[in-house]
Amino acid sequence: MRTGVWLVGARGSVATTSIVGALALRAGLTGPTGCVTELPELRGPALPSFADLVFGGHDPVATPLAKRADALAAAGVLPARLVAALGAELAAVDHEVRPAPADGSQADRAAAVVADLTAFRDRHRLDRVVVVNVSATEPAAPPHPAHTDPDALAAALAGPDEVLPASSLYAYAAFTAGCPYVDFTPSTGARLPALETLAARHGLPYAGHDGKTGETLVKSVLAPMFAMRHLTVRSWSGANLLGGGDGANLADPDANAAKVRSKDRLLGEILGYVPQGHTRIDYVEDLGDFKTAWDLVTFAGFLGTPMRMEFTWHGCDSALAAPLVLDLARLTAAAHAAGRRGPLADLAFFFKDPLAAPTHSLAEQWDRLARFTAALHAEHGGAA
Amino acid sequence: MRTGVWLVGARGSVATTSIVGALALRAGLTGPTGCVTELPELRGPALPSFADLVFGGHDPVATPLAKRADALAAAGVLPARLVAALGAELAAVDHEVRPAPADGSQADRAAAVVADLTAFRDRHRLDRVVVVNVSATEPAAPPHPAHTDPDALAAALAGPDEVLPASSLYAYAAFTAGCPYVDFTPSTGARLPALETLAARHGLPYAGHDGKTGETLVKSVLAPMFAMRHLTVRSWSGANLLGGGDGANLADPDANAAKVRSKDRLLGEILGYVPQGHTRIDYVEDLGDFKTAWDLVTFAGFLGTPMRMEFTWHGCDSALAAPLVLDLARLTAAAHAAGRRGPLADLAFFFKDPLAAPTHSLAEQWDRLARFTAALHAEHGGAA
Amino acid sequence: MRTGVWLVGARGSVATTSIVGALALRAGLTGPTGCVTELPELRGPALPSFADLVFGGHDPVATPLAKRADALAAAGVLPARLVAALGAELAAVDHEVRPAPADGSQADRAAAVVADLTAFRDRHRLDRVVVVNVSATEPAAPPHPAHTDPDALAAALAGPDEVLPASSLYAYAAFTAGCPYVDFTPSTGARLPALETLAARHGLPYAGHDGKTGETLVKSVLAPMFAMRHLTVRSWSGANLLGGGDGANLADPDANAAKVRSKDRLLGEILGYVPQGHTRIDYVEDLGDFKTAWDLVTFAGFLGTPMRMEFTWHGCDSALAAPLVLDLARLTAAAHAAGRRGPLADLAFFFKDPLAAPTHSLAEQWDRLARFTAALHAEHGGAA
Amino acid sequence: MRTGVWLVGARGSVATTSIVGALALRAGLTGPTGCVTELPELRGPALPSFADLVFGGHDPVATPLAKRADALAAAGVLPARLVAALGAELAAVDHEVRPAPADGSQADRAAAVVADLTAFRDRHRLDRVVVVNVSATEPAAPPHPAHTDPDALAAALAGPDEVLPASSLYAYAAFTAGCPYVDFTPSTGARLPALETLAARHGLPYAGHDGKTGETLVKSVLAPMFAMRHLTVRSWSGANLLGGGDGANLADPDANAAKVRSKDRLLGEILGYVPQGHTRIDYVEDLGDFKTAWDLVTFAGFLGTPMRMEFTWHGCDSALAAPLVLDLARLTAAAHAAGRRGPLADLAFFFKDPLAAPTHSLAEQWDRLARFTAALHAEHGGAA
């Protein structure tokens, strides 16, 4: 099952780490640490192997992947020996990464993306291509009347306005080209009625939003712990310090607000009430590709006794995100092959702000993911 | 369903907080924060109500409960207004707390406990009495040949030797009197073949060990998180600082070793391997009834990238333990009423070192507990 | 040396704690923990004793001090037994706390303050009155042409405009009444050329700004540590979570900005360069009178090796501030008695943003304070 | 002023980092971050320049320095580019590192060390050689009657017993060869009456003990902060987790005890009382050359209000220690040149457990160091 992975933002840190990792796994140079789909509970025949994955993508910048990988090695994100060993393979992927279409109306640009996706699929004789957005977080998009209907949308895109944010234009192009779409960012992506209808028309699955890689991952197990113990969370405050490209981008207040909103949904859903406290995101260039999050939770126990918990998470976002990008590409490809369509609620495990969210508790998300995967493997076995 | 709760260590901080809390709940003076059995998922007719609970117990010290409660109020563990409002009720419970039997052979002392339990049950016309050990942690017990067989044990107890540690003598007396037994401490309790056989002979359920109230509670959700994300935990180190009676007792190296052993089982079971690192327990008198735990976890992500997480837990052990003591008394009474016998593996949710442990993951333990409770309620309804 | 202490914001948490503490010290009910002027290195005959202090002040609210003290006792800031024991004394102070003048032009209000100060001094036959501002943080004041000259200022105050922020109007009134002025807040206070000239005309000393009670106190010893070790601080980020009245007030963005500016001056001065990072202040009501600050410092060592330090400070601002208010009143009174005038740079030890700041290093500030105090004692001895 | 630096443990992490750093500074490949003697307040003509330093030493292992440096580069302690650039220079130093003498009586081994030191001094025409102990921490040495007198010691060393621990045998040899001695470890070193007399006879200065590089450095500024603010420290607990060779060595309980004793002296001296709490050291291999320390301080403020502070220090011991080794070599050489003799109390700034400790406060130690250095520069200028 040859599967294309088309990365929007293909030269960014997450994409580069995903590509280097997949090539290293294929070459037997590393193990699958961090790849959820390689756990015994999820592994199985329905998923394309790492060797089945073919990478391509768009990026406005032109820095060769090998150079990006060298920078990540210098920053402690990638082992230098892997980057050195994979020079030829990285150069090959480089040929499949094109400049993001920038000319003409949004309809023109969407058509250019469709053409790139189709050519990529044909050139490599791929069974399917999964489009994965790993580009920078956008500000929340302004509403537009054409967002509710695919035909009105097609008409509006041909005009002079910027009708869709970039992430949604990619979802539009992906669906038009018959490709599933995954949004690893908090951007709008496929979350517009017109795009949901378009996906349904083409019988396509899609997934998102915002890969759950750090502070929110921890919250998704701690908040259920407080709930299961019937402890009252009085306040939950978070300070997120991050460097790297994502940090600089989030220094923009609008992108910051979109990100914080995505992070804040979880507590209310799990606890049944919204505790006091704020989540802050600040840019600290010196942290590079790492992120330090500090959270303070105050809670009340039996008879109101006040107590508290703090945690500090010091993680490398690219190293946490990249294996999940591979997991999502594999799972979404398998879901597509099995005829699943619409929002993949069973992939909530991977996201801060999951589509059609059945739950924000990591343990419940895990149970759903395991059942979902088992079903795919069973159907695949039955089909074979 | 009138239910006796016989507390071994009835004047300690945990017991006093449990008693004050149950009386306050019965009087409508407080809410059930921290009581797991009052969550919508677990609540139901099979459980005795708080008003059904009647308290008694043994303790070597004679300080009145009201005086112990005043001290806990001064330490910020109990609200002073509750203690003031419950003076008469506390004095009534005081009459049911006796000095721990201290004279004669261990057989004599066990007989005295049996007599106390029987008289308590008769005096209050109770349907059953659940014995709950909340006394100080014992050192690990030396082995004895009579530990394997109840008849040999009965004979040996009549001799001059200290054949059983105190916690196990209480389990022996409880079973002999037809009472279920719960051990909230890491002590030996019912964990001897002779006692397991004795419980089976009397058709009694029992539960334990070591209430999960702080650092281990957090570990039981964080360790599954690392496992579910296929991240490799390289080391997990813990520093536990605690004051209070339990802290002073744990300054004894043997009791400390027993406690640490109880805390250390979890990681290997959940992760499938034992990471580097140690758990330390130190006594810091100034912390009073509170405990501060600090844990450092180092872990490796995709391609080996090193990352780390720290947490600090600042909790009041008595306030965390007391509602669980009430939960365990209610659940064990209901299990007994429903004819359950042997180790109650479905109560693993409450313990650091659960009997017949099916799993150490809090989320899985929760699922088992919810199914167990639902079955009790269903049977109860059917029986009614 | 009978000394009046006139508190602006006399019913706030800091003022109430200062008054209760001074009364308790006078009655021998508590020790001088937290009072710097009671350390052997600083103690001496030039300072008024606690029994010499007479309290009065202004506050817009009318809640009796005893009620405010009860609330602080319930919040764990004051021992309930002290509050109970000092009822009569607190009621006596209550008579000296008046509503803040609110009618007429700013000149009218200043005159009312002058009248209150003068009457207070006369009524109690005080040698002097020190005015201490412990009211809520103001937003930064808009500039006004009359800020540069006392005569222009007097004229402008008689007009309809709000020429001065409240803190500066108090400084104006204090100086006019011949009283030294201390600003424990980051507000403008005496920091206007017109007011500096006015203080000089009256030969008065003044001190400020912004009591150094928590995060900044720690920074003032850690930053010199990095500097003395020639380690390069790459970033210093701080998250300050606080409840209480000060927290609610700082939720106002303008007051917040004034406070952050006050906190941010220190690093550049001590290190000689400004590291990356931000200081955030957020309101979390549940923290009550306590404040939790978390700081992350990243630094580079020999050959550039990256390292990091974190600290969490969990302090009670009122309990930290109140003894310093007493220290400042005693020291400023002694300075006035000894003929000191102008900004008291030697009191920098007490402030986040000290006037005429010779240094931000706590150890150097301590040395200056000790020399200053020794000189006062020596002169006092000579005079006696 | 050509100065030899003879490192006991010359192939360890601290020594290797010191050598690489000095060579890199000499070659202009790096800056003096972390070198205290390069601060404007201390810099001056009395100190030998980095180019004046010539390295040699003893080590039981034979791994080439370049290989040790490669391992440190892989661990993130040294920049790989520096190690690559300094291959030839490291190989040259390798020729001056000999196996530690291991044969014969202790007198024989001391004589072999003396011979090595003398030959090194002659071969390189050095003005003097400073011996610096950077080998692993020893257990506390058993007492011996010959420890009190140099002549009795000389006689005892010729016998079959191990009269002196290794660190003291090196001090003996250094003094015999006319060399100043610095102990960067908590081992016994020169701290025996016989050795103090011997140093006096030869007119030699010496310094120690135990380089202050992490948790204790922070304590030496925080403890004075609490003292200066008259806050009562109720408890101070520390957990030190370290990997690397030092960590493995400290897993030995005797070495651990020696280290903890060295760390524990500070609080009592600075505060004037000993707070509750313990310092723990644990080995966690995964931390490699880094060390993570967590400290919890509980303290009482005005009227007894309980408060708390935590800090986490994550530092690289070699990177923190190496520049101090260079500082100590330069300062001790200058002190020797200026005729200083006996224990150098003015170097307390560098040590956890300083000889003839005038104070443990970092700020006071800094003042003494600055005066000491200024005097050396002044005398040097006068002499020139």
Side-chain angles (χ1 to χ4, degrees):
Chain A
M1 194 168 76
R2 288 175 60 74
T3 302
V5 184
W6 189 268
L7 298 163
V8 182
R11 301 187 189 283
S13 295
V14 172
T16 305
T17 306
S18 302
I19 293 166
V20 168
L23 297 175
L25 280 162
R26 191 166 74 187
L29 297 174
T30 192
T33 301
C35 290
V36 171
T37 46
E38 288 297 304
L39 285 167
E41 297 90 335
L42 302 187
R43 203 158 38 194
L47 303 178
S49 72
F50 293 115
D52 287 334
L53 304 182
V54 180
F55 290 90
H58 280 136
D59 206 296
V61 304
T63 324
L65 284 167
K67 206 166 163 190
R68 291 287 296 122
D70 282 338
L72 289 167
V77 178
L78 296 176
R81 59 167 188 89
L82 281 190
V83 178
L86 295 166
E89 286 84 349
L90 284 170
V93 176
D94 251 334
H95 286 115
E96 298 295 346
V97 180
R98 284 146 203 273
D103 298 328
S105 68
Q106 285 204 309
D108 295 335
R109 281 177 265 155
V113 172
V114 170
D116 279 346
L117 289 171
T118 309
F120 178 61
R121 185 165 52 197
D122 294 348
R123 189 162 59 249
H124 292 283
R125 283 186 295 276
L126 302 170
D127 291 305
R128 66 190 45 77
V129 176
V130 180
V131 175
V132 185
N133 181 21
V134 287
S135 63
T137 297
E138 300 166 354
H144 189 283
H147 285 176
T148 54
D149 175 77
D151 301 316
L153 182 59
L157 290 173
D161 291 355
E162 294 287 305
V163 177
L164 290 177
S167 62
S168 300
L169 195 66
Y170 268 102
Y172 177 84
F175 296 156
T176 304
C179 298
Y181 174 83
V182 176
D183 207 316
F184 206 78
T185 80
S187 302
T188 308
R191 282 182 293 190
L192 293 173
L195 296 175
E196 290 162 12
T197 307
L198 190 65
R201 272 190 199 167
H202 289 83
L204 289 166
Y206 53 94
H209 270 251
D210 207 4
K212 182 159 66 181
T213 52
E215 187 205 24
T216 308
L217 176 65
V218 179
K219 279 167 119 161
S220 71
V221 297
L222 288 180
M225 178 192 81
F226 289 108
M228 285 189 276
R229 280 296 173 98
H230 206 172
L231 299 164
T232 306
V233 176
R234 305 292 308 266
S235 73
W236 196 309
S237 307
N240 288 264
L241 309 178
L242 60 167
D246 203 28
N249 177 53
L250 291 170
D252 169 46
D254 291 336
N256 196 314
K259 187 84 181 180
V260 166
R261 246 194 319 280
S262 169
K263 294 172 80 83
D264 271 355
R265 294 203 176 93
L266 173 146
L267 288 179
E269 195 273 339
I270 293 179
L271 298 173
Y273 54 90
V274 177
Q276 298 168 21
H278 307 273
T279 302
R280 294 281 186 187
I281 305 177
D282 272 316
Y283 176 55
V284 179
E285 188 194 349
D286 187 55
L287 296 179
D289 287 278
F290 279 74
K291 182 169 85 175
T292 294
W294 172 77
D295 276 41
L296 172 68
V297 186
T298 61
F299 59 100
F302 198 42
L303 312 178
T305 314
M307 306 187 242
R308 54 185 18 233
M309 176 179 186
E310 288 172 47
F311 69 84
T312 305
W313 172 270
H314 184 58
C316 173
D317 260 15
S318 302
L320 290 161
L324 305 182
V325 166
L326 301 180
D327 288 330
L328 284 164
R330 297 174 83 191
L331 288 162
T332 304
H336 186 221
R340 299 292 192 282
R341 53 183 66 191
L344 295 170
D346 291 321
L347 302 190
F349 179 79
F350 295 95
F351 296 112
K352 286 195 196 70
D353 187 20
L355 287 174
T359 171
H360 280 82
S361 154
L362 192 74
E364 295 178 32
Q365 292 172 337
W366 168 259
D367 289 344
R368 287 185 69 108
L369 177 61
R371 285 198 299 271
F372 174 73
T373 316
L376 291 180
H377 294 317
E379 295 173 36
H380 188 269
Chain B
M1 194 166 76
R2 288 176 59 76
T3 303
V5 183
W6 190 266
L7 297 163
V8 183
R11 299 187 189 283
S13 297
V14 172
T16 304
T17 306
S18 302
I19 293 165
V20 169
L23 297 175
L25 280 162
R26 191 164 73 187
L29 298 174
T30 192
T33 301
C35 291
V36 171
T37 46
E38 289 297 303
L39 285 167
E41 297 90 335
L42 303 187
R43 202 156 42 193
L47 303 178
S49 73
F50 292 116
D52 288 332
L53 303 183
V54 180
F55 291 90
H58 280 136
D59 205 295
V61 305
T63 322
L65 283 167
K67 205 164 164 191
R68 290 288 295 121
D70 282 338
L72 289 168
V77 178
L78 296 176
R81 58 164 189 92
L82 281 191
V83 178
L86 295 167
E89 288 83 350
L90 284 170
V93 176
D94 251 335
H95 286 116
E96 299 295 346
V97 180
R98 284 139 205 276
D103 299 328
S105 69
Q106 285 204 309
D108 296 334
R109 281 178 265 154
V113 172
V114 170
D116 280 347
L117 289 172
T118 309
F120 177 62
R121 185 166 51 199
D122 294 348
R123 187 160 62 249
H124 292 281
R125 283 185 296 276
L126 302 169
D127 293 305
R128 64 189 50 77
V129 176
V130 180
V131 176
V132 184
N133 181 23
V134 287
S135 63
T137 298
E138 301 166 354
H144 189 284
H147 285 175
T148 55
D149 176 77
D151 302 314
L153 181 60
L157 289 173
D161 291 354
E162 293 288 306
V163 176
L164 289 177
S167 62
S168 300
L169 195 66
Y170 268 102
Y172 176 84
F175 295 155
T176 302
C179 298
Y181 174 84
V182 176
D183 208 314
F184 206 77
T185 81
S187 301
T188 308
R191 280 181 296 189
L192 294 173
L195 296 175
E196 291 162 10
T197 306
L198 190 65
R201 274 190 197 166
H202 289 82
L204 290 166
Y206 53 95
H209 270 255
D210 206 6
K212 182 159 67 180
T213 52
E215 187 205 26
T216 308
L217 176 65
V218 180
K219 279 168 119 160
S220 72
V221 297
L222 288 180
M225 178 192 82
F226 288 109
M228 286 188 275
R229 280 297 172 99
H230 206 173
L231 298 165
T232 305
V233 175
R234 304 294 306 268
S235 74
W236 197 309
S237 307
N240 289 266
L241 308 178
L242 61 169
D246 203 29
N249 177 53
L250 291 170
D252 168 45
D254 290 337
N256 195 314
K259 187 84 180 179
V260 167
R261 245 195 319 279
S262 169
K263 293 172 80 83
D264 270 355
R265 292 202 178 94
L266 174 145
L267 288 180
E269 195 271 340
I270 293 179
L271 298 172
Y273 55 89
V274 178
Q276 300 168 21
H278 307 274
T279 302
R280 295 280 186 189
I281 304 177
D282 273 315
Y283 175 55
V284 179
E285 187 193 351
D286 186 56
L287 295 179
D289 286 277
F290 279 74
K291 183 170 84 174
T292 295
W294 173 77
D295 277 41
L296 172 67
V297 186
T298 61
F299 60 100
F302 198 43
L303 312 178
T305 313
M307 305 187 243
R308 54 184 21 230
M309 176 178 185
E310 289 172 48
F311 70 85
T312 304
W313 172 269
H314 184 58
C316 172
D317 260 15
S318 303
L320 290 161
L324 305 183
V325 167
L326 302 180
D327 288 329
L328 284 164
R330 298 174 84 193
L331 288 162
T332 305
H336 185 220
R340 299 292 193 282
R341 53 184 63 192
L344 295 171
D346 291 320
L347 302 189
F349 179 79
F350 295 95
F351 296 113
K352 285 193 195 72
D353 187 21
L355 288 172
T359 170
H360 280 82
S361 155
L362 192 74
E364 296 178 31
Q365 292 172 337
W366 168 260
D367 290 344
R368 287 186 69 111
L369 177 62
R371 285 197 300 272
F372 174 74
T373 316
L376 291 179
H377 294 317
E379 293 173 36
H380 188 269
Chain C
M1 195 167 73
R2 288 175 60 74
T3 302
V5 184
W6 190 266
L7 297 163
V8 183
R11 301 188 189 281
S13 297
V14 171
T16 305
T17 306
S18 302
I19 293 166
V20 169
L23 296 175
L25 280 162
R26 190 166 72 188
L29 298 174
T30 193
T33 301
C35 290
V36 171
T37 46
E38 288 298 303
L39 285 167
E41 296 90 335
L42 302 187
R43 204 158 38 195
L47 303 178
S49 72
F50 293 115
D52 288 334
L53 303 182
V54 179
F55 291 90
H58 280 135
D59 205 297
V61 304
T63 323
L65 283 167
K67 205 164 164 193
R68 291 287 297 121
D70 283 338
L72 290 167
V77 178
L78 296 176
R81 58 164 189 90
L82 281 190
V83 177
L86 295 166
E89 286 84 349
L90 283 170
V93 176
D94 252 334
H95 286 116
E96 298 295 348
V97 180
R98 284 142 206 273
D103 298 329
S105 69
Q106 286 204 310
D108 296 334
R109 282 177 264 154
V113 172
V114 170
D116 280 345
L117 289 171
T118 309
F120 177 62
R121 185 166 52 199
D122 294 348
R123 188 161 60 250
H124 292 281
R125 283 186 297 275
L126 302 170
D127 292 304
R128 63 188 51 76
V129 176
V130 181
V131 176
V132 185
N133 181 23
V134 287
S135 63
T137 298
E138 300 165 354
H144 188 285
H147 286 176
T148 54
D149 175 76
D151 301 315
L153 181 60
L157 290 173
D161 292 353
E162 294 288 306
V163 177
L164 290 177
S167 62
S168 300
L169 194 66
Y170 268 102
Y172 176 84
F175 296 156
T176 303
C179 299
Y181 175 83
V182 176
D183 208 315
F184 205 77
T185 80
S187 301
T188 309
R191 281 180 295 189
L192 294 173
L195 296 174
E196 291 161 11
T197 307
L198 190 66
R201 274 192 199 165
H202 289 83
L204 290 166
Y206 54 94
H209 270 252
D210 206 5
K212 182 159 66 179
T213 52
E215 186 205 26
T216 309
L217 176 65
V218 179
K219 278 167 120 161
S220 73
V221 297
L222 288 181
M225 178 192 82
F226 288 108
M228 285 188 276
R229 279 299 172 97
H230 206 174
L231 298 164
T232 305
V233 176
R234 304 293 306 267
S235 74
W236 196 310
S237 306
N240 289 264
L241 308 178
L242 61 167
D246 204 28
N249 177 54
L250 290 171
D252 168 46
D254 290 337
N256 195 313
K259 186 85 180 178
V260 165
R261 245 194 320 278
S262 169
K263 293 172 82 81
D264 270 356
R265 292 202 178 94
L266 174 146
L267 288 179
E269 195 272 340
I270 292 179
L271 298 173
Y273 55 88
V274 177
Q276 300 168 21
H278 308 274
T279 302
R280 294 281 186 187
I281 304 177
D282 273 316
Y283 175 54
V284 180
E285 188 194 349
D286 186 56
L287 296 179
D289 286 279
F290 279 74
K291 182 169 86 174
T292 295
W294 172 77
D295 277 41
L296 172 67
V297 187
T298 61
F299 60 100
F302 197 43
L303 312 178
T305 312
M307 304 187 244
R308 56 185 17 232
M309 176 177 187
E310 287 172 48
F311 69 84
T312 304
W313 172 269
H314 184 59
C316 173
D317 260 15
S318 303
L320 289 161
L324 305 183
V325 166
L326 301 181
D327 288 330
L328 284 164
R330 299 173 82 192
L331 288 162
T332 305
H336 185 219
R340 299 293 192 282
R341 53 183 64 191
L344 295 171
D346 291 320
L347 302 190
F349 179 79
F350 295 95
F351 296 112
K352 287 194 196 71
D353 187 20
L355 287 173
T359 170
H360 280 82
S361 155
L362 192 74
E364 295 177 32
Q365 291 171 338
W366 168 260
D367 289 344
R368 287 186 69 109
L369 177 62
R371 286 197 300 271
F372 174 74
T373 316
L376 291 179
H377 294 317
E379 293 174 37
H380 187 270
Chain D
M1 193 167 77
R2 289 175 59 75
T3 302
V5 184
W6 190 266
L7 298 163
V8 182
R11 300 187 188 283
S13 296
V14 171
T16 305
T17 307
S18 302
I19 293 166
V20 168
L23 297 175
L25 280 162
R26 190 166 73 188
L29 298 174
T30 193
T33 302
C35 290
V36 171
T37 47
E38 288 296 304
L39 285 167
E41 297 90 335
L42 302 187
R43 203 155 40 193
L47 304 178
S49 73
F50 293 116
D52 287 333
L53 304 182
V54 180
F55 291 91
H58 280 136
D59 205 296
V61 304
T63 323
L65 283 167
K67 206 166 164 190
R68 291 287 296 120
D70 282 339
L72 289 167
V77 178
L78 296 176
R81 60 168 186 89
L82 280 191
V83 178
L86 294 167
E89 287 83 350
L90 284 169
V93 177
D94 252 334
H95 286 116
E96 298 296 346
V97 180
R98 287 144 202 272
D103 299 326
S105 69
Q106 285 204 310
D108 296 335
R109 281 178 266 155
V113 172
V114 170
D116 280 346
L117 289 171
T118 310
F120 177 63
R121 185 166 50 199
D122 293 349
R123 188 161 58 249
H124 292 281
R125 283 185 298 273
L126 302 169
D127 292 305
R128 64 190 48 78
V129 176
V130 181
V131 176
V132 185
N133 181 23
V134 286
S135 63
T137 298
E138 299 165 355
H144 189 286
H147 286 174
T148 54
D149 176 76
D151 301 315
L153 181 60
L157 289 174
D161 291 354
E162 293 287 306
V163 177
L164 289 177
S167 62
S168 300
L169 194 66
Y170 267 102
Y172 177 84
F175 294 156
T176 303
C179 298
Y181 174 84
V182 176
D183 208 315
F184 205 78
T185 82
S187 302
T188 308
R191 282 182 294 190
L192 294 173
L195 297 174
E196 291 161 10
T197 307
L198 190 66
R201 272 191 201 166
H202 289 82
L204 289 166
Y206 54 94
H209 271 250
D210 206 4
K212 182 159 66 180
T213 52
E215 186 204 26
T216 308
L217 176 65
V218 179
K219 279 167 119 161
S220 72
V221 298
L222 288 181
M225 178 192 81
F226 289 108
M228 284 188 276
R229 280 296 173 100
H230 205 172
L231 299 165
T232 306
V233 176
R234 305 293 307 266
S235 74
W236 197 309
S237 307
N240 289 266
L241 308 178
L242 61 167
D246 204 27
N249 177 53
L250 290 170
D252 169 46
D254 290 337
N256 196 313
K259 186 84 181 181
V260 167
R261 245 194 319 278
S262 169
K263 293 172 81 83
D264 271 356
R265 292 204 178 92
L266 174 145
L267 288 180
E269 195 271 339
I270 292 179
L271 298 173
Y273 54 89
V274 177
Q276 300 168 20
H278 307 273
T279 302
R280 295 281 186 186
I281 305 177
D282 274 315
Y283 175 55
V284 179
E285 188 194 350
D286 186 55
L287 296 179
D289 286 277
F290 279 73
K291 182 168 85 173
T292 295
W294 173 76
D295 277 40
L296 173 68
V297 186
T298 61
F299 60 100
F302 198 43
L303 312 178
T305 313
M307 304 187 242
R308 55 186 17 232
M309 177 179 185
E310 290 171 46
F311 70 84
T312 304
W313 172 269
H314 184 59
C316 173
D317 260 15
S318 303
L320 290 161
L324 305 183
V325 166
L326 302 181
D327 288 329
L328 284 164
R330 297 173 83 191
L331 288 162
T332 306
H336 185 221
R340 300 292 193 280
R341 53 183 65 192
L344 294 171
D346 290 321
L347 301 190
F349 179 79
F350 295 96
F351 296 113
K352 287 194 194 71
D353 187 20
L355 287 172
T359 171
H360 280 82
S361 155
L362 192 75
E364 294 178 33
Q365 292 172 337
W366 168 260
D367 289 344
R368 287 186 69 107
L369 177 62
R371 286 197 298 272
F372 175 74
T373 315
L376 291 180
H377 294 317
E379 294 174 36
H380 188 270

